[in-house]
Amino acid sequence: MIYDVIIIGAGVSGAAIARELSRYEANVCVLEKCEDVCEGTSKANSGIVHAGYDAPAGSLMAKLNVRGNEMMDDFCRDLDIPFKRNGSMVVCIHKEELSGLQDLYDRGIQNGVKGLKILTREEALKMEPNLSDNVEGVLYAPTAGIICPFKLCIAMAENANVNGVEFRFNTKVEDIKKGEDDLWHIRTNNGECVSRYVVNAAGVYSGQIHNMVCKDDDKIEITPRRGDYCLLDKEAGNHVSHTIFPQPTSLGKGVLVTPTVHGNLLVGPTAEDIDDYEGVNTTADGINDLIAKANDHVKNLPMRKVITSFAGLRAHEPRHEFIIGEVKGAKNFIDCAAIESPGLTSSPAIGEMVAGILKDMMGLKAKSNWIGKRKDILNPSDLSIEDRNDLIKKNPAYGNIICRCESISEGEIIDSIHRPLGARSLDGVKRRTRAGMGRCQAGFCSPKTMEILHRELGLKYEEITKCGGRSNIVIQRTKNQKGGEC
Amino acid sequence: MLNYDIVIVGGGPAGLAAAVAARDAGIDKILILERDKELGGILNQCIHNGFGLHTFKEELTGPEYAYRFIEKVLEAKIEYRLNTMVMDISADRVVTAMSREDGMYQIQAGAVILAMGCRERPRGALNIPGFRPAGIFSAGTAQRLVNIEGYMPGREVVILGSGDIGLIMARRMTLEGAKVKVVAELMPYSGGLKRNIVQCLDDFGIPLKLSHTVVDIEGKDHLTAVTIAAVDEKSKPIPGTEERYTCDTLLLSCGLIPENELSRNAGVEMSPITSGPIVNESLETNIPGVFACGNVLHVHDLVDYVSEEAARAGENAAKYVKGQLSDAKSDIEITATDGARYTVPSTINIDRMDDKLTLRFRVGAVYKDSFVSVYFDDERVMHNKKRIMAPGEMEQVILLKNKLTEKPGLKKITVKIESE
Amino acid sequence: MEKRELTCIGCPMGCQITVELEGQDVKSITGNTCKIGENYARNEVTHPERTVTSTAVVLGGDKPRVSVKTKANIPKDKIADVMKEIDAAVVNAPIRIGDIVVKNVCGTGVDVVATRNIEAD
């Protein structure tokens, strides 16, 4: 099979491009080295829809940020995922740095950000009483928002799949060559794939993928920039209502404090450039650092309510600019590289832009039967008791609560497994349903979720993983498998 | 809407004992709501022995202890519903529950007894640095996998935390063929029973490292190694003391947290020390007719005390339903200071008090040859020498009603630990 | 003369007890602070015993394993052998508390019994 387009990477960029491309008549395949979508940078970030005042005026980053932000309401409505414009605040705590807020404001205006306002200390504290006592002024951006990064990525991929895009998981790209047939031959651990066009949306690996096809003088180097985060219990979710940033530095936007769209409080990220492209380990120094920094601009942070900490990698490139477009000397090979923050915000716009490039290059025609809408997994908590009872009568699995912290039923988990690009692991279920994301962190529900995966997918217990690969939960039966299969 | 005199949330040891006591006190319409597929709660997976010495004067395993109470519930024909999750409890005692069979429904309860138990502190709350691979379990989750589901999580094990569940799992994993390499404990003492240290660790040559913690976790897919290090008095790791252990399993036994989401939503006032409801002498919360007992109230050391406490909650709920609990405010405050961390209960209404009232509490550190003192206002009325007190064990003092009535106008009872 | 170091399990004190032995003869017990410690130490060095609890394989039950225990203490040095016999046992559901799972385990005269009920599936 010769594909029209192969997209490398099923993170938020790859998924957005796949979904946009699925509007057109084309054979599209996404190659993903992990067992699920949303496994890299896309799963470990701040979940912020940025307003767009950070990126340099005139940059592609600025343009796609502002465009992505504008698109987000319709986008989330169509894909049925939660999004809330809670507004962001950049907090100045040193009088001599107030001019920095003005600079950001000016840049925001140039970038086309709407509604920006510089607030006095008093105005800011009125809106956000837990700001630091040292606050001198605030840049307020009402268009900033919060989103579930998993749901965004999964929904785009799922919708792309419904519209005919194929996804190959556990498929790692090892080499890419232009064949004599003028097609791209992609060698993977799962055999060779051939396509007319290739999109490189490989996140922190986008440098390596780019360098497989580029000219010697056009190499790019992506540095994994690690960020540690702490996620706090929903009890702390109201500590602030806006997303609170410090003033930015050369290392980025700094340690933010934000409610999440699901009602937790998120603190992070730190910024540390590392060598390990899989180095998503938190460090004691990192966590201490972020707690110290967060306390600079938000007071009384209830850090005792941490339910988990994690780290994510940003695909940092020295120019700090998205690299999108055909690679020089590699015809029909499109980069979507160095997508660091605001990549999540920009993703709908990135999808639109890359699909637009391909549409023009390939002369793609729109499908007549494209389905642009998608329903998320039903959330029974939104239903009245009567409606919920009707649902349980029709499908009793909705009456069986599996994750008690987040109140997730068996019905939701079964749906997450059987829908397009369904979950195959505990993390897959978790990101789709939130089962296991609560304060007990899956202590209670993981044996029950395993039982459901076992039953619904016919997996043996020993084959059930946390997140694919060798991440199996149990190794064998007790009694050295002398027992029957019961 | 259904109507019951008493609805009991949770069918573990606390819920069962409360139900039996309420029935013995003459209450007819009692309903136990249990989220698991059987009664007995966590005892079903605690297959080791050592339960029930106080209650039954013999050593039972967890399932056997549970069954003694289940039998009583069955004999008394007390209603219970399994696989049922309580979704909400309102301040006017409307309990919303849900199950596959019955859907979502509401029950107006004359009285509610909270008996939801506790859960384990997860890795996330411990802020252990490192990767987040498969192979890290709270000890209780591993216990369920091994004892109930019949699966082994791994072959080479490190355990953080020397609470009893951690110690018990060290032996259990060893007996099932795994190699337990070390148990690390952050504190300079173990929170577990001496018996468990000897019979679960020493018997099998498993080292216990006090004042140690896990400082790194390796493994991208699956756990491959952990590093432990000694800690200073402030529990900070000491550089240079790191030791790396290859392993595929890390079990965490780092404390239990009462599970009070439902209580909080109902508006029950909580103690920041116990993370359980603040209760009066009748084990009643600030919401009239809502009682609490067992590990949801405060984490116990022995199940026997859970059963005893729960029976009192059951009796008092029965009195409430029959209108026999006066609604006068509690007027005596009980304060725990100087090493005593809290007391349960923490207020007394003398009119509602039984002839004897057991105050349970825990100490904050290890105390040798010290005194448990009780003060009525400023007067010391009790001064009991104890050879040893440790945070892992519950302590108790018994207050006599006639002693309290001798002190009209008594406002404050203080429990403290004194060196002489 | 053999010296054995023990931790008393009688109470949370956890006294470190030293026992001096010649063969099976206890020559001295020191370090204990009460009679419980002395008795514990004497038993522990002359004939230590334990109750073994584990699970056994169930066939045809609503659960795959049944919890079991030795009905009385068995000699401590037989724990591993007892586990082997428990591991090899297979019990058919239904099972009632007290049902014998392994009779006279390892010739100790002690039975291994079920500690919970298992219904037939």
Side-chain angles (χ1 to χ4, degrees):
Chain A
M1 163 109 181
I2 298 169
Y3 292 102
D4 293 319
V5 184
I6 280 180
I7 300 167
I8 302 169
V12 75
S13 299
I17 295 163
R19 183 199 182 235
E20 280 304 309
L21 269 184
S22 74
R23 294 172 184 272
Y24 305 108
E25 298 286 354
N27 287 318
V28 181
C29 178
V30 180
L31 305 183
E32 168 55 48
K33 71 177 168 55
C34 298
E35 65 108 35
D36 199 354
V37 302
C38 199
E39 282 283 358
T41 304
S42 306
K43 79 172 175 196
N45 56 68
S46 311
I48 302 297
V49 173
H50 294 281
Y53 47 76
D54 285 288
S59 64
L60 181 60
M61 205 178 243
K63 184 178 137 195
L64 293 177
N65 182 343
V66 173
R67 172 70 184 145
N69 182 302
E70 281 168 4
M71 291 170 75
M72 209 51 96
D73 299 283
D74 290 349
F75 205 77
C76 292
R77 196 192 51 231
D78 286 353
L79 294 177
D80 193 20
I81 54 178
F83 167 52
K84 185 178 170 195
R85 288 197 191 271
N86 65 321
S88 70
M89 291 181 169
V90 179
V91 178
C92 173
I93 52 171
H94 299 293
K95 255 204 172 89
E96 63 275 17
E97 288 168 10
L98 275 171
S99 65
L101 286 187
Q102 186 64 44
D103 294 346
L104 272 185
Y105 174 89
D106 294 343
R107 199 191 300 164
I109 298 298
Q110 277 181 291
N111 289 350
V113 180
K114 298 197 177 82
L116 286 177
K117 218 176 145 187
I118 291 185
L119 307 179
T120 63
R121 169 189 163 83
E122 289 69 32
E123 289 170 325
L125 283 170
K126 209 167 164 193
M127 285 171 71
E128 197 61 271
N130 277 326
L131 288 182
S132 158
D133 291 334
N134 302 325
V135 57
E136 296 286 351
V138 156
L139 173 65
Y140 173 56
T143 59
I146 46 182
I147 195 166
C148 173
F150 315 124
K151 291 228 182 228
L152 176 63
C153 185
I154 289 165
M156 293 190 297
E158 202 182 291
N159 186 235
N161 183 248
V162 164
N163 285 301
V165 175
E166 185 183 338
F167 282 74
R168 291 201 195 178
F169 295 107
N170 299 309
T171 302
K172 185 178 180 185
V173 172
E174 292 167 345
D175 196 20
I176 307 172
K177 287 267 182 305
K178 192 60 153 304
E180 287 177 4
D181 50 9
D182 207 32
L183 298 172
W184 290 105
H185 290 250
I186 302 178
R187 195 183 82 215
T188 77
N189 59 328
N190 262 337
E192 191 186 71
C193 304
V194 182
S195 71
R196 297 185 175 87
Y197 293 80
V198 175
V199 176
N200 166 22
V204 289
Y205 291 98
S206 57
Q208 277 98 318
I209 298 290
H210 168 98
N211 295 345
M212 288 176 187
V213 302
C214 73
K215 293 189 164 157
D216 283 347
D217 61 354
D218 186 35
K219 300 233 187 257
I220 57 178
E221 189 180 349
I222 302 288
T223 305
R225 180 169 284 179
R226 177 167 60 205
D228 289 8
Y229 288 90
C230 286
L231 185 72
L232 277 65
D233 195 286
K234 287 182 174 175
E235 279 176 27
N238 293 325
H239 194 72
V240 293
S241 57
H242 302 85
T243 301
I244 311 299
F245 293 94
Q247 289 181 273
T249 69
S250 60
L251 272 177
K253 292 187 269 286
V255 172
L256 60 84
V257 179
T258 185
T260 71
V261 77
H262 298 293
N264 296 87
L265 192 76
L266 183 68
V267 182
T270 52
E272 185 190 359
D273 290 343
I274 60 170
D275 301 326
D276 184 355
Y277 285 79
E278 300 283 325
V280 290
N281 51 319
T282 56
T283 62
D285 290 348
I287 298 288
N288 292 337
D289 182 39
L290 90 83
I291 292 170
K293 284 189 172 142
N295 277 305
D296 283 346
H297 46 282
V298 175
K299 68 182 169 199
N300 304 328
L301 268 180
M303 293 311 289
R304 282 189 59 220
K305 298 212 181 290
V306 170
I307 58 170
T308 189
S309 49
F310 60 91
L313 301 178
R314 286 156 275 178
H316 180 66
E317 205 271 340
R319 287 163 285 180
H320 186 53
E321 171 65 309
F322 295 158
I323 300 173
I324 297 178
E326 190 173 71
V327 175
K328 257 189 282 169
K331 195 165 172 294
N332 302 343
F333 189 102
I334 314 294
D335 260 344
C336 179
I339 309 298
E340 60 180 316
S341 179
L344 189 74
T345 313
S346 306
S347 58
I350 289 173
E352 188 180 63
M353 178 178 172
V354 175
I357 292 172
L358 287 165
K359 174 181 176 254
D360 293 344
M361 289 172 83
M362 300 168 70
L364 294 175
K365 292 202 171 50
K367 277 178 194 162
S368 56
N369 55 351
W370 185 69
I371 302 162
K373 291 203 162 115
R374 166 257 185 205
K375 283 309 279 179
D376 195 14
I377 294 166
L378 178 70
N379 180 359
S381 323
D382 296 341
L383 301 177
S384 67
I385 290 190
E386 292 73 30
D387 289 348
R388 203 158 176 172
N389 264 322
D390 286 345
L391 174 69
I392 296 168
K393 258 191 211 109
K394 275 185 227 134
N395 185 349
Y398 284 100
N400 184 20
I401 294 290
I402 300 296
C403 165
R404 62 190 190 210
C405 300
E406 296 288 316
S407 213
I408 307 298
S409 69
E410 185 179 355
E412 290 152 80
I413 293 175
I414 293 173
D415 184 359
S416 80
I417 292 169
H418 291 307
R419 57 175 41 224
L421 303 183
R424 298 185 57 81
S425 65
L426 292 185
D427 279 359
V429 168
K430 179 170 86 174
R431 288 192 206 115
R432 285 167 178 79
T433 64
R434 296 187 57 73
M437 279 220 194
R439 50 180 69 108
C440 96
Q441 289 284 298
F444 174 77
C445 66
S446 56
K448 290 169 178 259
T449 307
M450 287 172 75
E451 192 182 323
I452 299 170
L453 284 164
H454 159 73
R455 186 185 68 217
E456 297 296 322
L457 292 175
L459 292 171
K460 287 187 193 160
Y461 269 72
E462 297 88 325
E463 293 170 338
I464 296 170
T465 64
K466 178 173 182 285
C467 50
R470 287 170 296 117
S471 66
N472 51 307
I473 312 293
V474 296
I475 53 164
Q476 62 180 31
R477 276 267 182 215
T478 56
K479 317 295 156 193
N480 304 320
Q481 293 168 303
K482 275 173 290 202
E485 278 301 310
C486 50
Chain B
M1 187 152 4
L2 301 172
N3 264 287
Y4 280 85
D5 290 331
I6 299 179
V7 171
I8 298 170
V9 185
L16 294 170
V20 172
R23 171 58 51 88
D24 289 348
I27 300 298
D28 196 32
K29 290 200 74 181
I30 301 171
L31 178 63
I32 303 172
L33 299 174
E34 166 56 43
R35 65 186 166 213
D36 210 343
K37 55 191 167 200
E38 57 187 344
L39 293 173
I42 207 70
L43 287 173
N44 288 319
Q45 68 183 57
C46 298
I47 64 167
H48 54 282
N49 68 329
F51 299 92
L53 266 174
H54 294 258
T55 314
F56 300 110
K57 310 296 170 217
E58 59 179 312
E59 277 200 45
L60 302 173
T61 63
E64 290 171 311
Y65 185 96
Y67 196 66
R68 296 279 170 106
F69 282 90
I70 293 171
E71 264 183 320
K72 290 184 191 178
V73 164
L74 297 176
E75 277 163 18
K77 299 201 164 53
I78 295 170
E79 270 186 75
Y80 61 91
R81 296 190 181 188
L82 302 177
N83 298 307
T84 297
M85 189 68 86
V86 172
M87 308 297 286
D88 186 60
I89 302 168
S90 74
D92 49 4
R93 300 186 306 279
V94 173
V95 176
T96 307
M98 188 169 81
S99 74
R100 293 179 71 103
E101 288 74 26
D102 303 321
M104 197 174 208
Y105 55 96
Q106 293 190 308
I107 309 162
Q108 177 65 59
V112 172
I113 300 177
L114 306 173
M116 293 88 80
C118 59
R119 65 160 175 269
E120 299 176 278
R121 196 181 298 278
R123 178 215 171 161
L126 304 169
N127 263 338
I128 306 171
F131 285 92
R132 306 194 314 139
I136 304 171
F137 302 84
S138 58
T141 305
Q143 189 178 44
R144 183 184 173 103
L145 284 171
V146 175
N147 292 348
I148 307 278
E149 320 283 347
Y151 285 98
M152 286 296 280
R155 294 182 183 86
E156 295 189 306
V157 185
V158 169
I159 298 177
L160 175 61
S162 62
D164 285 312
I165 313 172
L167 300 175
I168 291 289
M169 280 311 290
R171 174 173 64 188
R172 192 69 194 104
M173 295 290 284
T174 305
L175 289 178
E176 289 293 340
K179 168 80 184 157
V180 178
K181 294 190 162 179
V182 67
V183 177
E185 167 61 55
L186 181 70
M187 304 306 286
Y189 50 82
S190 165
L193 298 171
K194 279 284 177 273
R195 176 167 117 149
N196 285 337
I197 292 173
V198 170
Q199 298 193 351
C200 299
L201 301 187
D202 297 355
D203 275 6
F204 302 96
I206 300 167
L208 170 62
K209 299 212 163 191
L210 299 174
S211 300
H212 277 69
T213 193
V214 174
V215 296
D216 195 22
I217 293 173
E218 296 173 49
K220 284 169 186 177
D221 287 4
H222 203 284
L223 181 66
T224 54
V226 304
T227 302
I228 70 170
V231 297
D232 62 20
E233 317 79 62
K234 288 181 179 154
S235 299
K236 292 269 174 264
I238 302 169
T241 62
E242 295 86 359
E243 287 173 276
R244 184 172 178 274
Y245 292 85
T246 58
C247 59
D248 59 8
T249 307
L250 173 64
L251 301 186
L252 304 171
S253 175
C254 302
L256 300 169
I257 308 166
E259 189 141 342
N260 273 300
E261 283 73 10
L262 289 168
S263 329
R264 273 194 199 92
N265 285 344
V268 170
E269 245 179 83
M270 292 292 155
S271 154
I273 313 280
T274 60
S275 300
I278 294 171
V279 293
N280 60 28
E281 74 301 316
S282 308
L283 302 174
E284 188 184 26
T285 67
N286 61 309
I287 302 181
V290 176
F291 299 79
C293 55
N295 283 348
V296 82
L297 178 55
H298 58 136
V299 175
H300 292 60
D301 54 351
L302 295 185
V303 70
D304 304 76
Y305 299 142
V306 168
S307 303
E308 193 187 308
E309 180 181 276
R312 277 175 44 223
E315 287 158 13
N316 289 323
K319 281 188 197 162
Y320 180 87
V321 168
K322 292 192 268 185
Q324 293 167 358
L325 275 189
S326 63
D327 48 9
K329 282 275 290 173
S330 301
D331 41 13
I332 303 172
E333 291 271 337
I334 309 170
T335 312
T337 62
D338 299 73
R341 295 185 60 227
Y342 68 87
T343 65
V344 169
S346 55
T347 60
I348 295 176
N349 172 346
I350 200 155
D351 298 334
R352 294 171 29 153
M353 182 182 173
D354 292 332
D355 291 343
K356 267 188 190 176
L357 177 69
T358 307
L359 280 191
R360 294 208 160 91
F361 65 96
R362 283 187 194 247
V363 293
V366 176
Y367 291 91
K368 286 195 176 167
D369 295 320
S370 300
F371 294 83
V372 175
S373 300
V374 178
Y375 287 75
F376 283 3
D377 290 328
D378 293 330
E379 182 195 350
R380 187 161 80 191
V381 296
M382 212 183 282
H383 191 53
N384 299 339
K385 185 164 184 181
K386 298 276 289 182
R387 290 184 61 203
I388 179 112
M389 286 178 280
E393 320 241 339
M394 272 181 5
E395 301 294 333
Q396 63 177 49
V397 292
I398 291 172
L399 300 180
L400 300 176
K401 184 170 186 169
N402 58 15
K403 296 284 180 201
L404 270 71
T405 47
E406 284 169 14
K407 304 263 174 215
L410 174 61
K411 282 276 166 253
K412 186 170 156 190
I413 295 174
T414 307
V415 177
K416 56 171 90 167
I417 311 303
E418 296 179 318
S419 56
E420 55 186 38
Chain C
M1 184 99 68
E2 188 196 349
K3 254 193 187 178
R4 296 268 294 277
E5 304 284 341
L6 302 171
T7 305
C8 180
I9 65 170
C11 82
M13 285 291 281
C15 293
Q16 292 298 314
I17 306 178
T18 306
V19 185
E20 291 186 317
L21 299 169
E22 247 174 42
Q24 281 291 302
D25 268 3
V26 174
K27 291 291 174 194
S28 75
I29 297 176
T30 51
N32 58 308
T33 48
C34 73
K35 189 77 186 165
I36 296 171
E38 188 186 321
N39 291 339
Y40 170 75
R42 193 176 298 278
N43 283 337
E44 192 65 8
V45 295
T46 52
H47 54 284
E49 290 187 325
R50 298 287 185 267
T51 295
V52 174
T53 58
S54 185
T55 59
V57 172
V58 175
L59 292 182
D62 63 352
K63 301 197 174 54
R65 297 289 181 271
V66 60
S67 54
V68 300
K69 68 173 183 184
T70 55
K71 204 170 177 189
N73 284 339
I74 54 111
K76 185 182 155 192
D77 59 11
K78 289 241 158 93
I79 292 176
D81 296 335
V82 166
M83 273 305 295
K84 270 185 206 148
E85 289 200 14
I86 292 174
D87 285 348
V90 175
V91 214
N92 291 304
I95 302 161
R96 296 289 131 207
I97 288 184
D99 285 359
I100 294 175
V101 173
V102 181
K103 198 155 179 59
N104 183 19
V105 65
C106 296
T108 55
V110 174
D111 296 337
V112 173
V113 296
T115 58
R116 64 162 300 152
N117 298 340
I118 301 279
E119 306 306 326
D121 199 13

